[in-house]
Amino acid sequence: MSQTFQHPRKRKYRSDGTPTWVKRTIDGPGVWASCVKGKEKQTVGELCDLFESLSSELWPIEGRDQTEGHCASEDEDVGDLEAQVAREVAAIKRPRVEKRFVTCQTNTPCVVFISCRPPVDPVKLIVTHAENVRKTGVTRTKYTHRLIPVSGSCIANLPEIQSLCRRTFPSFFAQDDGNDPSQTRKYKIDLRMRNHNTLDRLDIIKEVAKCMPDNYTVDLDGPEVFVLVEVFKSVCGVSILRDYYKLQKFNVMTLANEKNMVDNFKRDAGRVQGKEADDVKLTEAILEST
């Protein structure tokens, strides 16, 4: 009697109850996000969709069929079965594209971390999104509050933090200094610590400051460059960028409200001016009639 072999079903959850599509550890470049309490799962979904959309524009995947998803026109022979089968076979043989974004467990309310894989640059990704929100007033998310990109992550101890900074910062310095590397620049270290009580804030700041060039001076009031340091439990992430205050510390809710308030004010001001002009015309008409 022949028996049919059945492939074992792919497990969706680990033995400890955690989903298999979520990484257990936080590592690599990625994006920290704060969100509405109890909406962490929805936040992950909306951010992954948003990031995939942005990354496809910033870093298009080479070799992807640009006609994929193209709707057939009236002139095309949509009934050609052989051509349809050929397209399906080509789609099956196409190399599988690795996911660019992976959710990492935080086990903390209101906090989400999404790891980014090459060629995605988290800083460029979030700056681009923040600038879009600032221009349009549309966040494209519902539960996300603030986004913090980190160019790399490490274990939260001083030697590892200094090593991470020395690996992460040089590319920014080379691009930012340009043709005048001796020009003095002002910077500020913005440190945020959550669920961590091992290291002292001042010790971390001093260790990060050791990695800054001599032409970068500390200025807490009017910095041009910002060093973001995120310490969460036993993990530390860092990034270095500009326009942090200009983009409202990447708080997309604040950016959207700011834009919408300006637009509403202009619209209301136009209505007031129009009403005043109508009142003037009415007054002139009354005076002429008398």
Side-chain angles (χ1 to χ4, degrees):
M1 181 177 179
S2 61
Q3 294 182 352
T4 58
F5 176 77
Q6 295 182 351
H7 292 280
R9 296 179 63 183
K10 189 175 181 180
R11 295 176 60 187
K12 294 184 178 181
Y13 296 91
R14 301 187 183 97
S15 58
D16 60 357
T18 60
T20 56
W21 62 86
V22 176
K23 293 180 67 176
R24 297 191 185 206
T25 58
I26 297 171
D27 61 352
V31 179
W32 288 99
S34 60
C35 63
V36 178
K37 186 176 181 180
K39 299 296 182 180
E40 292 81 10
K41 185 176 180 180
Q42 293 87 334
T43 301
V44 168
E46 66 183 15
L47 284 180
C48 285
D49 291 342
L50 171 64
F51 291 169
E52 286 288 355
S53 175
L54 290 173
S55 64
S56 64
E57 299 173 3
L58 296 172
W59 304 279
I61 300 176
E62 295 181 3
R64 171 170 286 183
D65 187 2
Q66 297 299 324
T67 61
E68 185 177 351
H70 167 63
C71 297
S73 63
E74 294 180 358
D75 296 333
E76 294 176 340
D77 186 8
V78 295
D80 190 348
L81 181 59
E82 293 183 359
Q84 182 179 355
V85 171
R87 286 194 297 268
E88 292 178 355
V89 172
I92 294 173
K93 292 183 178 180
R94 186 180 299 120
R96 182 179 178 182
V97 179
E98 188 179 25
K99 290 185 178 181
R100 292 180 170 183
F101 303 98
V102 180
T103 307
C104 300
Q105 277 187 291
T106 63
N107 296 322
T108 303
C110 307
V111 180
V112 169
F113 183 80
I114 298 178
S115 177
C116 303
R117 293 175 176 172
V120 177
D121 177 6
V123 173
K124 185 176 181 179
L125 180 75
I126 299 306
V127 168
T128 300
H129 177 53
E131 288 177 344
N132 291 341
V133 175
R134 183 169 176 264
K135 293 176 183 176
T136 63
V138 179
T139 63
R140 298 176 62 180
T141 54
K142 183 177 181 180
Y143 305 107
T144 305
H145 289 164
R146 187 183 176 203
L147 301 168
I148 296 296
V150 290
S151 300
S153 302
C154 68
I155 300 299
N157 62 56
L158 297 182
E160 289 289 340
I161 292 174
Q162 185 180 121
S163 176
L164 176 63
C165 293
R166 295 196 183 280
R167 296 194 310 268
T168 304
F169 295 172
S171 59
F172 174 84
F173 297 146
Q175 183 178 3
D176 192 58
D177 292 343
N179 298 325
D180 190 7
S182 61
Q183 182 180 352
T184 302
R185 286 170 172 78
K186 304 173 184 178
Y187 79 94
K188 177 184 178 180
I189 298 174
D190 191 275
L191 171 62
R192 184 185 178 107
M193 301 177 66
R194 286 176 290 195
N195 299 351
H196 181 88
N197 54 14
T198 304
L199 298 177
D200 184 71
R201 291 181 60 89
L202 187 58
D203 291 338
I204 297 176
I205 292 174
K206 288 180 178 179
E207 205 68 24
V208 174
K210 293 178 183 178
C211 304
M212 302 299 291
D214 295 335
N215 61 314
Y216 281 73
T217 60
V218 176
D219 189 334
L220 302 182
D221 297 323
E224 305 168 286
V225 176
F226 298 86
V227 179
L228 307 185
V229 182
E230 289 284 318
V231 178
F232 176 80
K233 296 183 179 179
S234 62
V235 179
C236 176
V238 300
S239 60
I240 182 168
L241 45 84
R242 287 178 171 269
D243 299 331
Y244 185 53
Y245 284 170
K246 177 183 176 182
L247 296 175
Q248 297 293 342
K249 298 183 178 181
F250 301 136
N251 189 316
V252 292
M253 292 285 195
T254 303
L255 284 170
N257 291 336
E258 187 180 61
K259 170 64 177 176
N260 295 329
M261 285 178 61
V262 171
D263 291 345
N264 292 336
F265 177 79
K266 290 181 179 179
R267 184 165 56 249
D268 293 341
R271 292 174 181 172
V272 171
Q273 291 176 359
K275 184 176 183 303
E276 290 178 349
D278 293 340
D279 291 343
V280 170
K281 291 180 181 179
L282 179 61
T283 303
E284 291 177 350
I286 294 174
L287 292 175
E288 289 178 358
S289 62
T290 57

